[in-house]
Amino acid sequence: MENILEVKDLNISFHTFAGEVKAIRGVNFELKKGETLAIVGESGSGKSVTTKAIMRLLPPGNSEIKQGEILFEGKDLAKLTDKQMQKIRGQDISMIFQDPMTSLNPTMTVGKQIMEPLIKHQNMSKTAARERAVQLLKLVGIPKPELRIKQYPHQFSGGMRQRVVIAIALACNPKVLIADEPTTALDVTIQAQILELMKDLQKKIDTSIIFITHDLGVVANVADRVAVMYGGKIVEIGTVDEVFYNPQHPYTWGLISSMPSLDAKEEELYAIPGTPPNLLYPPKGDAFAPRNEYAMQIDLEEQPPMFKVSDTHYAATWLLHPDAPKVEPPEAVKSRMRKFMGTK
Ligand SMILES: Nc1ncnc2c1ncn2[C@@H]1O[C@H](COP(=O)(O)OP(=O)(O)OP(=O)(O)O)[C@@H](O)[C@H]1O
Ligand SMILES: [Mg+2]
């Protein structure tokens, strides 16, 4: 499959009073046409910064792309002028954020907010744009769209607002849609509905999606491939089946172990011990080493390369070195792997 987006050796820093925060440290991945790639990882691992860099939405004051390329259809987005980038954001790549209220304008009707980019970027007439707005609201499952386009955001419930945000993001038929935790601000039932909607849309529209989430259950549900981030790097990437049924990085094991398992009733939720690295002083070796019960001496000294597990599956852990001792994933991981196989 053809790549729509390629991120190559991306390094991003923030200049703060305390010093240089090396937030993204050599990230590589590609997004194929029509696929959904999930990015997972603990808070602070660099998921949002990576995708904001793609959208060129990093704070201009203190952020810096130190190195790397963000190739969209072969063009390096990092090198475009603001004006060129604005056009890309209006037509080719759009983003949905966590909190629908912050991405909507409270003083403008929902219809107007959907129509505006259509009139501006696609030279649509007002009548055509209104028709499209109604269509889009229907597409995202909002009842009585003809009536709803005349209403303001506060007249919508949280879940319905997020549907409006998705409709706006889809208005220009973007080639890439980035969803940064689009459901976490919503309650559980509404979360499930929005995820159903995203899955449904994925079938109906021909868009590549990057889906950021904390929740591995969501990944299994919506994604084709998954990238696991830790300390500003991708530590494992592969198809959902590869990462869930054959995880290689001890951090991925930790994430899988911390998923609630339905069969155990009163079991305490596992949490990975320790804290993420301080990216003001990134560690010399594998950033996960201090929290990794399988860490070896080399983990403290040298960063592991991405070892190849299959043509589509890679993981950055020294455990994959041919000379490393053979380590099995812990029982908690295996039991959850069995559970996935049962539910898929
Ligand atoms: N404006 C900023 N100034 C300084 N540091 C920042 C800024 N924005 C992000 N960072 C740092 O960059 C790193 C990655 O942050 P990012 O927001 O990408 O994390 P995340 O994976 O999206 O986490 P979460 O799950 O909480 O959304 C963190 O260490 C964070 O402190
Ligand atoms: Mg984030």
Side-chain angles (χ1 to χ4, degrees):
M1 242 192 301
E2 216 179 313
N3 293 335
I4 182 98
L5 192 73
E6 282 172 57
V7 173
K8 292 187 171 168
D9 195 25
L10 189 62
N11 285 268
I12 299 171
S13 286
F14 291 96
H15 300 285
T16 69
F17 287 118
E20 181 180 344
V21 177
K22 298 189 180 76
I24 302 299
R25 306 182 299 137
V27 160
N28 290 284
F29 69 91
E30 76 267 337
L31 180 68
K32 296 181 208 312
K33 278 197 174 150
E35 79 165 341
T36 299
L37 171 74
I39 305 182
V40 297
E42 277 170 307
S43 192
S45 56
K47 306 180 297 292
S48 296
V49 171
T50 301
T51 47
K52 279 185 188 157
I54 296 170
M55 288 292 278
R56 288 262 301 267
L57 290 175
L58 290 169
N62 72 339
S63 67
E64 185 190 353
I65 297 186
K66 306 273 287 194
Q67 201 175 307
E69 291 176 320
I70 301 167
L71 302 175
F72 170 72
E73 296 185 321
K75 282 186 299 262
D76 188 357
L77 298 182
K79 294 207 176 76
L80 296 188
T81 62
D82 286 344
K83 195 144 186 223
Q84 289 168 319
M85 195 58 215
Q86 248 173 31
K87 210 169 151 200
I88 297 256
R89 278 198 294 262
Q91 308 189 330
D92 296 313
I93 311 181
S94 55
M95 190 153 176
I96 306 166
F97 295 94
Q98 186 174 349
D99 181 2
M101 213 44 195
T102 56
S103 18
L104 291 172
N105 182 341
T107 66
M108 225 194 248
T109 64
V110 154
K112 199 152 180 219
Q113 294 186 58
I114 303 177
M115 288 160 64
E116 214 175 52
L118 294 172
I119 295 168
K120 204 162 124 196
H121 296 292
Q122 315 231 318
N123 293 321
M124 265 193 197
S125 70
K126 228 176 143 183
T127 324
R130 185 174 298 113
E131 240 165 67
R132 174 100 175 113
V134 169
Q135 257 175 18
L136 281 160
L137 289 185
K138 214 180 267 168
L139 178 73
V140 298
I142 293 183
K144 302 202 184 108
E146 292 86 359
L147 213 128
R148 293 296 242 170
I149 59 165
K150 293 181 202 135
Q151 296 183 332
Y152 291 86
H154 71 88
Q155 292 170 288
F156 289 70
S157 67
M160 286 293 158
R161 258 180 234 142
Q162 193 60 308
R163 286 173 195 261
V164 171
V165 172
I166 295 172
I168 294 175
L170 293 177
C172 297
N173 285 322
K175 294 176 180 153
V176 177
L177 178 67
I178 300 172
D180 190 349
E181 312 226 29
T183 62
T184 39
L186 305 168
D187 79 49
V188 183
T189 12
I190 309 293
Q191 279 187 20
Q193 289 170 11
I194 296 289
L195 285 176
E196 265 321 298
L197 169 66
M198 298 279 307
K199 254 170 74 178
D200 186 42
L201 289 173
Q202 198 184 10
K203 285 187 221 127
K204 286 190 192 148
I205 56 176
D206 185 30
T207 300
S208 313
I209 300 176
I210 299 180
F211 198 102
I212 297 179
T213 177
H214 272 100
D215 186 339
L216 285 192
V218 168
V219 174
N221 221 328
V222 301
D224 301 304
R225 286 194 305 137
V226 52
V228 180
M229 286 195 78
Y230 186 79
K233 285 172 176 281
I234 291 178
V235 297
E236 182 153 6
I237 188 164
T239 65
V240 166
D241 284 2
E242 286 168 333
V243 174
F244 279 62
Y245 301 148
N246 189 23
Q248 300 293 323
H249 199 287
Y251 177 63
T252 314
W253 296 348
L255 279 185
I256 292 175
S257 304
S258 37
M259 292 182 64
S261 74
L262 295 176
D263 35 288
K265 271 169 252 125
E266 280 157 36
E267 175 196 46
E268 257 183 57
L269 219 54
Y270 173 82
I272 305 172
T275 48
N278 178 352
L279 295 176
L280 270 172
Y281 312 101
K284 206 162 87 187
D286 181 342
F288 189 59
R291 304 171 74 184
N292 179 5
E293 59 177 299
Y294 309 97
M296 300 172 284
Q297 189 56 34
I298 190 164
D299 281 296
L300 301 168
E301 288 162 6
E302 224 178 292
Q303 294 189 17
M306 273 292 200
F307 287 99
K308 182 172 171 174
V309 185
S310 79
D311 282 346
T312 47
H313 188 189
Y314 291 81
T317 166
W318 285 116
L319 289 177
L320 286 171
H321 190 277
D323 296 341
K326 194 94 197 82
V327 177
E328 287 277 308
E331 189 46 42
V333 174
K334 288 190 182 163
S335 74
R336 279 164 182 78
M337 279 156 53
R338 284 194 291 271
K339 195 190 109 204
F340 280 127
M341 295 204 211
T343 55
K344 249 188 99 136

